mmCIF file of all heavy atoms in Angstrom:
data_model
loop_
_atom_site.group_PDB
_atom_site.id
_atom_site.type_symbol
_atom_site.label_atom_id
_atom_site.label_comp_id
_atom_site.label_asym_id
_atom_site.label_seq_id
_atom_site.Cartn_x
_atom_site.Cartn_y
_atom_site.Cartn_z
ATOM 1 N N GLN A 1 4.677 -1.232 -8.855
ATOM 2 C CA GLN A 1 5.784 -0.925 -7.942
ATOM 3 C C GLN A 1 5.361 -1.168 -6.488
ATOM 4 O O GLN A 1 6.101 -1.748 -5.693
ATOM 5 C CB GLN A 1 6.221 0.528 -8.119
ATOM 6 C CG GLN A 1 7.460 0.887 -7.277
ATOM 7 C CD GLN A 1 7.821 2.338 -7.395
ATOM 8 O OE1 GLN A 1 6.954 3.198 -7.279
ATOM 9 N NE2 GLN A 1 9.094 2.622 -7.666
ATOM 10 N N PHE A 2 4.126 -0.741 -6.157
ATOM 11 C CA PHE A 2 3.604 -0.937 -4.799
ATOM 12 C C PHE A 2 3.508 -2.431 -4.482
ATOM 13 O O PHE A 2 3.946 -2.891 -3.427
ATOM 14 C CB PHE A 2 2.228 -0.277 -4.670
ATOM 15 C CG PHE A 2 1.514 -0.613 -3.396
ATOM 16 C CD1 PHE A 2 1.866 0.002 -2.209
ATOM 17 C CD2 PHE A 2 0.498 -1.574 -3.390
ATOM 18 C CE1 PHE A 2 1.220 -0.309 -1.029
ATOM 19 C CE2 PHE A 2 -0.142 -1.888 -2.205
ATOM 20 C CZ PHE A 2 0.226 -1.248 -1.033
ATOM 21 N N ASN A 3 2.931 -3.191 -5.422
ATOM 22 C CA ASN A 3 2.780 -4.629 -5.202
ATOM 23 C C ASN A 3 4.129 -5.317 -5.053
ATOM 24 O O ASN A 3 4.298 -6.208 -4.221
ATOM 25 C CB ASN A 3 2.002 -5.259 -6.366
ATOM 26 C CG ASN A 3 0.542 -4.824 -6.368
ATOM 27 O OD1 ASN A 3 0.014 -4.433 -5.331
ATOM 28 N ND2 ASN A 3 -0.089 -4.888 -7.525
ATOM 29 N N TRP A 4 5.105 -4.873 -5.851
ATOM 30 C CA TRP A 4 6.440 -5.480 -5.776
ATOM 31 C C TRP A 4 7.082 -5.196 -4.425
ATOM 32 O O TRP A 4 7.645 -6.088 -3.788
ATOM 33 C CB TRP A 4 7.312 -4.915 -6.911
ATOM 34 C CG TRP A 4 8.716 -5.487 -6.881
ATOM 35 C CD1 TRP A 4 9.122 -6.710 -7.303
ATOM 36 C CD2 TRP A 4 9.877 -4.831 -6.359
ATOM 37 N NE1 TRP A 4 10.465 -6.882 -7.106
ATOM 38 C CE2 TRP A 4 10.968 -5.734 -6.519
ATOM 39 C CE3 TRP A 4 10.120 -3.587 -5.797
ATOM 40 C CZ2 TRP A 4 12.255 -5.409 -6.120
ATOM 41 C CZ3 TRP A 4 11.396 -3.278 -5.398
ATOM 42 C CH2 TRP A 4 12.457 -4.182 -5.566
ATOM 43 N N LYS A 5 6.962 -3.963 -3.954
ATOM 44 C CA LYS A 5 7.561 -3.602 -2.674
ATOM 45 C C LYS A 5 6.847 -4.294 -1.514
ATOM 46 O O LYS A 5 7.474 -4.654 -0.521
ATOM 47 C CB LYS A 5 7.519 -2.078 -2.473
ATOM 48 C CG LYS A 5 8.530 -1.344 -3.353
ATOM 49 C CD LYS A 5 8.505 0.151 -3.064
ATOM 50 C CE LYS A 5 9.565 0.880 -3.897
ATOM 51 N NZ LYS A 5 9.555 2.329 -3.629
ATOM 52 N N GLN A 6 5.552 -4.452 -1.673
ATOM 53 C CA GLN A 6 4.816 -5.187 -0.645
ATOM 54 C C GLN A 6 5.315 -6.621 -0.567
ATOM 55 O O GLN A 6 5.511 -7.169 0.518
ATOM 56 C CB GLN A 6 3.311 -5.189 -0.939
ATOM 57 C CG GLN A 6 2.622 -3.879 -0.607
ATOM 58 C CD GLN A 6 2.463 -3.735 0.885
ATOM 59 O OE1 GLN A 6 3.354 -3.240 1.562
ATOM 60 N NE2 GLN A 6 1.340 -4.156 1.420
ATOM 61 N N ARG A 7 5.517 -7.205 -1.741
ATOM 62 C CA ARG A 7 5.992 -8.586 -1.771
ATOM 63 C C ARG A 7 7.395 -8.681 -1.203
ATOM 64 O O ARG A 7 7.744 -9.652 -0.551
ATOM 65 C CB ARG A 7 5.975 -9.127 -3.217
ATOM 66 C CG ARG A 7 4.584 -9.394 -3.755
ATOM 67 C CD ARG A 7 4.664 -10.221 -5.028
ATOM 68 N NE ARG A 7 5.389 -9.536 -6.088
ATOM 69 C CZ ARG A 7 4.803 -8.728 -6.979
ATOM 70 N NH1 ARG A 7 3.499 -8.493 -6.915
ATOM 71 N NH2 ARG A 7 5.527 -8.147 -7.924
ATOM 72 N N ARG A 8 8.181 -7.688 -1.443
ATOM 73 C CA ARG A 8 9.552 -7.680 -0.943
ATOM 74 C C ARG A 8 9.610 -7.278 0.535
ATOM 75 O O ARG A 8 10.641 -7.384 1.169
ATOM 76 C CB ARG A 8 10.399 -6.682 -1.750
ATOM 77 C CG ARG A 8 10.558 -7.071 -3.213
ATOM 78 C CD ARG A 8 11.589 -8.141 -3.394
ATOM 79 N NE ARG A 8 12.916 -7.647 -3.039
ATOM 80 C CZ ARG A 8 13.996 -8.387 -3.040
ATOM 81 N NH1 ARG A 8 13.921 -9.659 -3.375
ATOM 82 N NH2 ARG A 8 15.175 -7.883 -2.694
ATOM 83 N N GLY A 9 8.476 -6.797 1.081
ATOM 84 C CA GLY A 9 8.423 -6.401 2.487
ATOM 85 C C GLY A 9 9.154 -5.110 2.776
ATOM 86 O O GLY A 9 9.547 -4.852 3.911
ATOM 87 N N LYS A 10 9.330 -4.263 1.759
ATOM 88 C CA LYS A 10 10.086 -3.034 1.945
ATOM 89 C C LYS A 10 9.195 -1.813 2.109
ATOM 90 O O LYS A 10 9.684 -0.706 2.234
ATOM 91 C CB LYS A 10 11.042 -2.807 0.763
ATOM 92 C CG LYS A 10 12.142 -3.849 0.695
ATOM 93 C CD LYS A 10 13.095 -3.542 -0.433
ATOM 94 C CE LYS A 10 14.217 -4.571 -0.476
ATOM 95 N NZ LYS A 10 15.164 -4.296 -1.573
ATOM 96 N N MET A 11 7.884 -2.010 2.092
ATOM 97 C CA MET A 11 7.008 -0.861 2.231
ATOM 98 C C MET A 11 5.783 -1.277 3.026
ATOM 99 O O MET A 11 5.019 -2.130 2.606
ATOM 100 C CB MET A 11 6.588 -0.334 0.860
ATOM 101 C CG MET A 11 5.799 0.968 0.923
ATOM 102 S SD MET A 11 5.641 1.663 -0.720
ATOM 103 C CE MET A 11 3.914 1.397 -1.016
ATOM 104 N N ALA A 12 5.605 -0.675 4.202
ATOM 105 C CA ALA A 12 4.469 -1.006 5.046
ATOM 106 C C ALA A 12 3.207 -0.376 4.498
ATOM 107 O O ALA A 12 3.234 0.669 3.847
ATOM 108 C CB ALA A 12 4.720 -0.514 6.472
ATOM 109 N N THR A 13 2.097 -1.042 4.744
ATOM 110 C CA THR A 13 0.803 -0.502 4.342
ATOM 111 C C THR A 13 0.529 0.763 5.148
ATOM 112 O O THR A 13 0.788 0.821 6.342
ATOM 113 C CB THR A 13 -0.301 -1.525 4.626
ATOM 114 O OG1 THR A 13 0.039 -2.752 3.986
ATOM 115 C CG2 THR A 13 -1.639 -1.036 4.120
ATOM 116 N N THR A 14 0.002 1.777 4.462
ATOM 117 C CA THR A 14 -0.313 3.042 5.125
ATOM 118 C C THR A 14 -1.820 3.197 5.264
ATOM 119 O O THR A 14 -2.606 2.451 4.662
ATOM 120 C CB THR A 14 0.237 4.235 4.331
ATOM 121 O OG1 THR A 14 -0.502 4.349 3.103
ATOM 122 C CG2 THR A 14 1.720 4.047 4.029
ATOM 123 N N ILE A 15 -2.214 4.190 6.045
ATOM 124 C CA ILE A 15 -3.631 4.483 6.220
ATOM 125 C C ILE A 15 -4.261 4.895 4.889
ATOM 126 O O ILE A 15 -5.446 4.656 4.640
ATOM 127 C CB ILE A 15 -3.830 5.574 7.293
ATOM 128 C CG1 ILE A 15 -5.308 5.665 7.699
ATOM 129 C CG2 ILE A 15 -3.301 6.919 6.827
ATOM 130 C CD1 ILE A 15 -5.548 6.580 8.890
ATOM 131 N N HIS A 16 -3.438 5.503 4.011
ATOM 132 C CA HIS A 16 -3.928 5.879 2.682
ATOM 133 C C HIS A 16 -4.284 4.636 1.871
ATOM 134 O O HIS A 16 -5.288 4.628 1.142
ATOM 135 C CB HIS A 16 -2.846 6.690 1.938
ATOM 136 C CG HIS A 16 -2.528 7.994 2.598
ATOM 137 N ND1 HIS A 16 -3.242 9.148 2.354
ATOM 138 C CD2 HIS A 16 -1.570 8.315 3.505
ATOM 139 C CE1 HIS A 16 -2.722 10.134 3.070
ATOM 140 N NE2 HIS A 16 -1.713 9.658 3.781
ATOM 141 N N ASP A 17 -3.463 3.592 1.993
ATOM 142 C CA ASP A 17 -3.732 2.344 1.276
ATOM 143 C C ASP A 17 -5.047 1.722 1.745
ATOM 144 O O ASP A 17 -5.839 1.231 0.936
ATOM 145 C CB ASP A 17 -2.582 1.351 1.488
ATOM 146 C CG ASP A 17 -1.252 1.909 1.029
ATOM 147 O OD1 ASP A 17 -1.236 2.632 0.011
ATOM 148 O OD2 ASP A 17 -0.242 1.635 1.700
ATOM 149 N N VAL A 18 -5.262 1.735 3.069
ATOM 150 C CA VAL A 18 -6.498 1.180 3.624
ATOM 151 C C VAL A 18 -7.698 1.968 3.122
ATOM 152 O O VAL A 18 -8.711 1.391 2.698
ATOM 153 C CB VAL A 18 -6.456 1.190 5.171
ATOM 154 C CG1 VAL A 18 -7.806 0.749 5.743
ATOM 155 C CG2 VAL A 18 -5.342 0.293 5.680
ATOM 156 N N ALA A 19 -7.589 3.289 3.167
ATOM 157 C CA ALA A 19 -8.703 4.139 2.721
ATOM 158 C C ALA A 19 -9.026 3.902 1.250
ATOM 159 O O ALA A 19 -10.197 3.809 0.865
ATOM 160 C CB ALA A 19 -8.350 5.602 2.965
ATOM 161 N N ARG A 20 -7.965 3.787 0.419
ATOM 162 C CA ARG A 20 -8.177 3.582 -1.014
ATOM 163 C C ARG A 20 -8.818 2.219 -1.278
ATOM 164 O O ARG A 20 -9.772 2.103 -2.047
ATOM 165 C CB ARG A 20 -6.838 3.693 -1.747
ATOM 166 C CG ARG A 20 -6.957 3.562 -3.260
ATOM 167 C CD ARG A 20 -5.681 3.970 -3.986
ATOM 168 N NE ARG A 20 -4.512 3.256 -3.473
ATOM 169 C CZ ARG A 20 -3.523 3.833 -2.810
ATOM 170 N NH1 ARG A 20 -3.571 5.125 -2.541
ATOM 171 N NH2 ARG A 20 -2.482 3.121 -2.393
ATOM 172 N N ALA A 21 -8.325 1.183 -0.587
ATOM 173 C CA ALA A 21 -8.859 -0.163 -0.809
ATOM 174 C C ALA A 21 -10.288 -0.304 -0.289
ATOM 175 O O ALA A 21 -11.109 -1.018 -0.883
ATOM 176 C CB ALA A 21 -7.957 -1.197 -0.140
ATOM 177 N N ALA A 22 -10.594 0.373 0.801
ATOM 178 C CA ALA A 22 -11.946 0.292 1.379
ATOM 179 C C ALA A 22 -12.903 1.297 0.749
ATOM 180 O O ALA A 22 -14.093 1.299 1.068
ATOM 181 C CB ALA A 22 -11.875 0.519 2.883
ATOM 182 N N GLU A 23 -12.328 2.177 -0.074
ATOM 183 C CA GLU A 23 -13.121 3.209 -0.769
ATOM 184 C C GLU A 23 -13.828 4.144 0.224
ATOM 185 O O GLU A 23 -15.007 4.444 0.104
ATOM 186 C CB GLU A 23 -14.144 2.560 -1.717
ATOM 187 C CG GLU A 23 -13.499 1.724 -2.808
ATOM 188 C CD GLU A 23 -14.524 1.072 -3.732
ATOM 189 O OE1 GLU A 23 -15.654 0.825 -3.256
ATOM 190 O OE2 GLU A 23 -14.206 0.838 -4.908
ATOM 191 N N VAL A 24 -13.049 4.569 1.230
ATOM 192 C CA VAL A 24 -13.548 5.534 2.209
ATOM 193 C C VAL A 24 -12.470 6.598 2.420
ATOM 194 O O VAL A 24 -11.353 6.474 1.910
ATOM 195 C CB VAL A 24 -13.870 4.873 3.570
ATOM 196 C CG1 VAL A 24 -14.985 3.840 3.414
ATOM 197 C CG2 VAL A 24 -12.620 4.239 4.178
ATOM 198 N N GLY A 25 -12.827 7.630 3.171
ATOM 199 C CA GLY A 25 -11.862 8.677 3.454
ATOM 200 C C GLY A 25 -10.908 8.268 4.567
ATOM 201 O O GLY A 25 -11.186 7.359 5.353
ATOM 202 N N ILE A 26 -9.762 8.961 4.646
ATOM 203 C CA ILE A 26 -8.775 8.686 5.694
ATOM 204 C C ILE A 26 -9.376 8.923 7.074
ATOM 205 O O ILE A 26 -9.103 8.190 8.019
ATOM 206 C CB ILE A 26 -7.529 9.573 5.493
ATOM 207 C CG1 ILE A 26 -6.806 9.170 4.203
ATOM 208 C CG2 ILE A 26 -6.575 9.451 6.684
ATOM 209 C CD1 ILE A 26 -5.660 10.080 3.849
ATOM 210 N N GLY A 27 -10.226 9.951 7.162
ATOM 211 C CA GLY A 27 -10.871 10.261 8.440
ATOM 212 C C GLY A 27 -11.719 9.108 8.953
ATOM 213 O O GLY A 27 -11.760 8.832 10.157
#
């Protein structure tokens, strides 16, 4: 669902997404 919305441009990347992809904390 996330990938589909990203492709459709209906959901901006959040800081949580960056933290999860980089495998670090939000802080």
Side-chain angles (χ1 to χ4, degrees):
Q1 185 184 48
F2 170 78
N3 291 337
W4 179 77
K5 287 183 177 180
Q6 283 285 87
R7 288 193 298 270
R8 295 281 294 177
K10 293 183 179 180
M11 187 169 109
T13 305
T14 69
I15 192 172
H16 296 274
D17 302 323
V18 174
R20 183 168 53 247
E23 299 179 332
V24 297
I26 293 174

